[in-house]
Amino acid sequence: MNVILLGPPGCGKGTQAKRLEMASGLTQLSTGEMLRAAVAAGTEYGKMAKEVIDRGDLVSDDVVVAIIAERLDEADVAGGVILDGFPRNVAQARALDEMLEDKHLKLDTVVELSVDDDALVERITGRYTCDQCGKGYHDKFEQPKVDGVCDSCGGTAFSRRPDDTEETVRNRLSVYYEQTRPVIEYYRSKGVLQTIDGMVDIDDVTQQIKEVLKIH
Ligand code: AP5
Ligand code: MG
């Protein structure tokens, strides 16, 4: 099964993709995480991408399409993927259709997480991640069981993303409305779109997605 999680910055794509990975055997492919890894590694295109990501604009289609195309050829994704943060405009959606056809793969479902703008800003500005294992937390909505200690790996160092400032989040939201919203219509017209309520608790969102994807 190949699935897209679609929705604005902070709607819960990464949180839910990681939970679905555990529950289903599908592999999360997050273009945002792959780009941040390239930035951290200091590769040439990582250096170029950093400025764009820090502004909250989109990295060029050629770069992200190539990243996804390469990943889809690797053995660990044979069980199916959860695309998180890709595609982000109609050109990327068309490129994905072409690459899936070339690789004899099928897109099963696009799950749109619907969340109000004010909640998005609160979610993003309160978000932080374990440096060791990457598990995501939130100051208010998802705290570690023991303060300052990661539930998953016991790590004690955490970071916040440089693009999670309120100013950059506002730009990321306008980019979403201008460029990514049309992708929703693109998939609606293909009959593969399922919209779920992303305003409820994290567990309840997971439950809704599992029902849509028939994962038990
Ligand atoms: P990317 O990393 O994809 O960021 P994004 O789409 O802006 O989304 P986020 O990762 O911020 O949010 P999320 O939906 O994953 O939410 P999360 O689960 O963390 O992209 C970053 C940048 O890379 C882009 O701006 C662009 O520059 C570039 N890029 C990436 N892909 C690209 C592409 N295809 N083309 C071009 N450029 C690209 O949740 C947020 C917080 O809320 C967490 O703290 C979580 O604990 C909390 N939370 C989650 N769900 C709930 C809930 N139900 N209730 C309460 N709190 C919740
Ligand atoms: Mg994310």
Side-chain angles (χ1 to χ4, degrees), residues 119-176:
L120 295 172
V121 175
E122 187 183 19
R123 285 185 190 184
I124 291 181
T125 51
R127 166 172 58 191
Y128 60 98
T129 308
C130 171
D131 285 352
Q132 202 163 291
C133 73
K135 173 155 176 39
Y137 292 97
H138 190 279
D139 292 329
K140 191 164 149 192
F141 303 124
E142 199 182 7
Q143 296 159 337
K145 291 188 185 75
V146 178
D147 194 26
V149 182
C150 176
D151 296 345
S152 292
C153 73
T156 52
F158 299 87
S159 305
R160 291 178 192 261
R161 277 169 45 181
D163 61 339
D164 278 354
T165 60
E166 183 152 354
E167 192 193 350
T168 307
V169 171
R170 297 273 172 209
N171 186 43
R172 283 161 59 195
L173 275 175
S174 357
V175 168
Y176 174 78

Side-chain angles (χ1 to χ4, degrees), residues 8-15 31-32 35-36 52-53 56-59 64 85-86 88 92 123-124 127 137-138 141-142 161 163 172 198 200-202 205:
C11 70
K13 301 181 296 294
T15 304
T31 40
L35 290 166
R36 283 187 288 281
V52 180
I53 294 170
D57 291 333
L58 294 187
V59 173
V64 289
F86 179 90
R88 249 179 157 90
Q92 291 182 15
R123 285 185 190 184
I124 291 181
R127 166 172 58 191
Y137 292 97
H138 190 279
F141 303 124
E142 199 182 7
R161 277 169 45 181
D163 61 339
R172 283 161 59 195
V200 293
D201 281 357
I202 295 176
V205 176

